Amino acid sequence: MRLFTPEAMREADQKAVEMGYPSLLLMEWAGMKAARVYQELFGHRPAVVLAGKGNNGGDGLVLARHLHLAGVPVRVFAAEGQGGDALLARRALEAHGLEIRPLEEAIWNREEVLVDALFGTGLKGPLEGFHAGLVERMNASGLPILALDLPSGLPYSPHVQATATVAFAAFKTPHFLHREACGKLFLADIGLPKALLEREDLPEIATPEGLLPLLPKRPLTAHKGSVGRVGILGGFRGEGLRYAGAPVLAALGAYRMGAGLVHLVAPEGIPLEPLEAVFHPVQAPALPSMRVEALAVGMGG
């Protein structure tokens, strides 16, 4: 899984359109998947959708339509001047009889959930004026906030402090560089051609699914002596001082990574329960006779 910059994601979207993939389908899938996440998190709790005039706002208008069709109470406040796919999303929502009020009139109450569909990845600079004030009001409301693609305002300040964020197609760098602003992260497949997401020039995110094929397969006849022996020497610092936590954690980490047998060389008297390591109590930092393939030295010292 590749980690995209906002610019690289916009480039992928544009290439999909050039390949013949309708951009309106991308928006429809984004809004639909975000609506599913909303219902997973908040059920039928009423929503207030705050939509900008760009494509992120269009995603929010699609979400509002899907929530409405699912029976979730929805109020929508949207910027004027929408065009392209966002305008089509607005007209589709209006066709279902939902009133869209100006964004400047946005209000909410304590029973509702705010949906941030203001800017997403389309921001060119820090928020100012009305939009900065709106974001600050959202953050001060104490209400849950679901951000679409990226909390509006990132990577600048002020920005939305989201309860959860639905990333579309791929994770972007601000999702990790500004993790605290994104809340719980969800990744939504919006139908972008897979070839556009497999960019070797972008960094790869280490995931359990991606790392698993790199680990050697363990035979059924494996035993603790055949899958890796690790030695750990630590816990010494100064005359008579014992720092047991670091070597014990290192031993636990070795087992967590799959080592079969761990030798722990540390001062006498350190607490080991319920650690399975073979304990070699010593009075000074020196290695006893033991057979290991890897040796870690110095933690807690």
Side-chain angles (χ1 to χ4, degrees):
M1 181 186 299
R2 299 292 173 173
L3 181 61
F4 278 67
T5 62
E7 295 77 14
M9 194 75 254
R10 287 194 291 269
E11 180 181 332
D13 289 342
Q14 182 58 39
K15 286 185 177 179
V17 174
E18 294 172 357
M19 293 167 60
Y21 198 95
S23 58
L24 185 59
L25 280 183
L26 295 174
M27 183 175 290
E28 182 68 21
W29 275 91
M32 179 180 66
K33 291 292 186 72
R36 290 178 182 175
V37 171
Y38 181 100
Q39 291 180 277
E40 177 183 337
L41 293 174
F42 309 113
H44 276 64
R45 184 169 172 175
V48 173
V49 178
L50 306 170
K53 66 179 182 179
N55 286 341
N56 193 247
D59 297 336
L61 296 174
V62 173
L63 169 141
R65 173 162 47 85
H66 282 280
L67 289 182
H68 172 71
L69 292 173
V72 179
V74 183
R75 295 192 301 123
V76 181
F77 298 90
E80 301 291 338
Q82 288 157 336
D85 294 338
L87 180 58
L88 294 176
R90 182 178 186 127
R91 290 173 177 170
L93 182 60
E94 291 171 332
H96 285 275
L98 268 74
E99 178 186 9
I100 301 177
R101 297 173 61 185
L103 188 59
E104 291 76 12
E105 298 178 7
I107 55 173
W108 43 78
N109 59 58
R110 62 184 180 181
E111 290 82 24
E112 294 173 312
V113 175
L114 304 181
V115 176
D116 167 26
L118 294 171
F119 293 100
T121 61
L123 202 62
K124 303 299 183 184
L127 296 177
E128 299 177 346
F130 166 75
H131 291 105
L134 177 61
V135 164
E136 289 171 346
R137 281 206 298 133
M138 293 168 66
N139 291 337
S141 70
L143 297 178
I145 302 175
L146 177 65
L148 303 192
D149 209 15
L150 197 67
S152 291
L154 285 184
Y156 312 101
S157 291
H159 56 253
V160 167
Q161 294 283 344
T163 306
T165 299
V166 187
F168 298 141
F171 288 119
K172 291 85 181 176
T173 48
H175 289 134
F176 297 98
L177 296 179
H178 302 273
R179 184 69 183 82
E180 75 288 346
C182 298
K184 188 174 183 179
L185 279 174
F186 294 83
L187 180 61
D189 180 357
I190 61 172
L192 203 68
K194 296 298 183 184
L196 298 178
L197 299 175
E198 298 170 354
R199 294 210 13 198
E200 295 186 358
D201 60 320
L202 296 176
E204 190 167 5
I205 302 174
T207 63
E209 296 79 10
L211 293 175
L212 188 59
L214 302 178
L215 299 177
K217 291 184 178 181
R218 183 165 292 187
L220 295 177
T221 56
H223 56 83
K224 66 180 181 180
S226 66
V227 293
R229 292 172 289 238
V230 176
I232 294 172
L233 172 64
F236 298 90
R237 185 174 181 180
E239 185 66 29
L241 295 180
R242 297 166 182 170
Y243 292 82
V248 169
L249 287 175
L252 288 170
Y255 276 124
R256 181 74 178 269
M257 292 302 295
L261 185 61
V262 177
H263 294 270
L264 178 56
V265 184
E268 294 178 329
I270 67 171
L272 290 176
E273 295 298 334
L275 192 64
E276 299 89 349
V278 177
F279 183 39
H280 302 269
V282 293
Q283 295 182 350
L287 287 174
S289 177
M290 58 185 183
R291 182 184 174 190
V292 296
E293 287 83 36
L295 180 64
V297 178
M299 62 289 296

